[in-house]
Amino acid sequence: RGRAVFKPPLGTSTGTAGRARAVKAPLPLESSRRRRSHGRGRSRRPLGSNPRSRASYHRATARRSASDPHQARAREPTAMDVLFAFTGDKFAVVVSDTTSVQQIIVQKDDMEKIMDLDSHKLLALSGPKGDCVYFGEYVQANMKLYELRNGVKLSTHACANFVRNQLAEALRKGPYQVNTLLAGYDKDTDSASLYFMDPYASMMKVNSGGHGYGGMFCLSLFDKHWVPGMTREAAAILVDKCIAEVRERLVTAPTKYHVKIVDENGTSCEVYDCVEKAAVKAVADSRK
């Protein structure tokens, strides 16, 4: 019957010692794709492809937003404010409405939305009331602390960079939902400047700007009527045109505004009442 002869299986070769040495045979293309895609026999779906997992993710996100004040604050819509400002000949004008609105409810009509950071700087804030009050007082206190420690005041440009830096640091922790306009007068340069900032920590030095629904209507008027080196009389006429445009275009336009001016003598404030202005104008027209 003879001696049994060892036959290596298909895909192997024998070594010098007569032992079988395995040789990896190439897999078919289809089977290799199937193995990479299915792994250990289970199909791997892309993240979020399962509708049940998507629903669970949204529910978890909603619970996290409700429990985390920073997440909830980031989703809060911006309030309906009217803020605009522009520069003139060695002065800057900042205008804001005095109405505090929560959705469809008017809470008060004498709210101050323009803060005096020091004797020659104004900070106008628009957004949720908690963020505006907290962030404005924080900037105001830090500027006073810097003055006490160093004996000098920050320039308008340095103050704008400080505000922008604080917004950027809080952007990934607990962002402040505030839109700001910073106006100031510097004695060193004998000029006034205006800085535009948003909640995403973008900053730009501008000649005119606005925030809120009412501020959007004023941008086209600035493009048409603003000129460098405006006088006080021309600035007052431009403020009248902007407020009249807001009153005409905005459905819920406020009737009272704060008009603040910063120049070499410091800051000054005037209450702009549309009802009184209309009454005075009516009396003047009747006398004519």
Side-chain angles (χ1 to χ4, degrees), residues 11-30:
T12 61
S13 62
T14 57
T16 57
R19 296 180 181 179
R21 181 164 54 90
V23 178
K24 293 183 179 180
L27 294 175
L29 182 60
E30 187 64 28

Side-chain angles (χ1 to χ4, degrees), residues 13-269:
S13 62
T14 57
T16 57
R19 296 180 181 179
R21 181 164 54 90
V23 178
K24 293 183 179 180
L27 294 175
L29 182 60
E30 187 64 28
S31 62
S32 62
R33 287 180 178 175
R34 189 181 303 112
R35 179 169 296 182
R36 285 198 301 267
S37 62
H38 290 274
R40 297 182 180 179
R42 292 184 61 184
S43 60
R44 297 183 180 179
R45 296 179 178 178
L47 183 63
S49 61
N50 189 354
R52 293 185 179 179
S53 65
R54 288 202 302 269
S56 302
Y57 170 77
H58 290 309
R59 285 196 298 268
T61 305
R63 288 194 299 268
R64 194 182 307 114
S65 300
S67 60
D68 189 357
H70 298 311
Q71 293 286 341
R73 182 172 60 183
R75 295 174 179 271
E76 187 174 350
T78 305
M80 185 179 297
D81 298 323
V82 180
L83 259 69
F84 61 90
F86 58 92
T87 58
D89 184 18
K90 299 181 182 180
F91 69 93
V93 182
V94 185
V95 183
S96 74
D97 67 304
T98 63
T99 307
S100 176
V101 180
Q102 182 68 26
Q103 295 181 354
I104 61 172
I105 300 174
V106 177
Q107 297 174 329
K108 56 189 301 187
D109 61 350
D110 57 349
M111 184 172 181
E112 182 64 67
K113 298 182 181 180
I114 307 175
M115 297 189 65
D116 293 352
L117 297 181
D118 59 24
S119 59
H120 290 81
K121 293 180 188 63
L122 297 173
L123 181 66
L125 302 106
S126 171
K129 303 303 178 291
D131 284 3
C132 291
V133 173
Y134 180 83
F135 186 72
E137 292 179 352
Y138 175 78
V139 174
Q140 187 182 43
N142 276 272
M143 288 191 60
K144 186 63 177 178
L145 179 62
Y146 182 88
E147 182 182 356
L148 293 174
R149 283 180 174 177
N150 300 279
V152 294
K153 296 181 180 180
L154 285 173
S155 64
T156 307
H157 179 71
C159 179
N161 280 275
F162 172 77
V163 175
R164 187 259 171 200
N165 188 30
Q166 298 304 314
L167 291 172
E169 288 183 357
L171 191 59
R172 291 168 179 83
K173 302 175 184 178
Y176 298 103
Q177 296 297 307
V178 292
N179 296 284
T180 60
L181 290 172
L182 176 63
Y185 175 84
D186 296 314
K187 294 182 179 180
D188 299 336
T189 59
D190 192 23
S191 62
S193 54
L194 176 66
Y195 290 86
F196 176 99
M197 284 169 278
D198 65 0
Y200 301 102
S202 63
M203 182 189 72
M204 181 174 292
K205 184 178 180 180
V206 295
N207 296 319
S208 60
H211 284 303
Y213 291 110
M216 296 179 183
F217 295 114
C218 303
L219 300 181
S220 59
L221 293 174
F222 291 146
D223 292 338
K224 184 176 181 180
H225 299 287
W226 184 89
V227 293
M230 294 185 67
T231 61
R232 297 289 184 110
E233 293 76 13
I237 295 174
L238 183 55
V239 169
D240 291 337
K241 290 181 178 180
C242 291
I243 294 179
E245 186 72 16
V246 172
R247 292 277 297 166
E248 180 180 357
R249 300 296 181 184
L250 198 60
V251 176
T252 57
T255 58
K256 291 183 179 180
Y257 298 85
H258 282 159
V259 181
K260 289 194 174 185
I261 299 176
V262 56
D263 54 10
E264 59 183 355
N265 299 320
T267 61
S268 59
C269 180

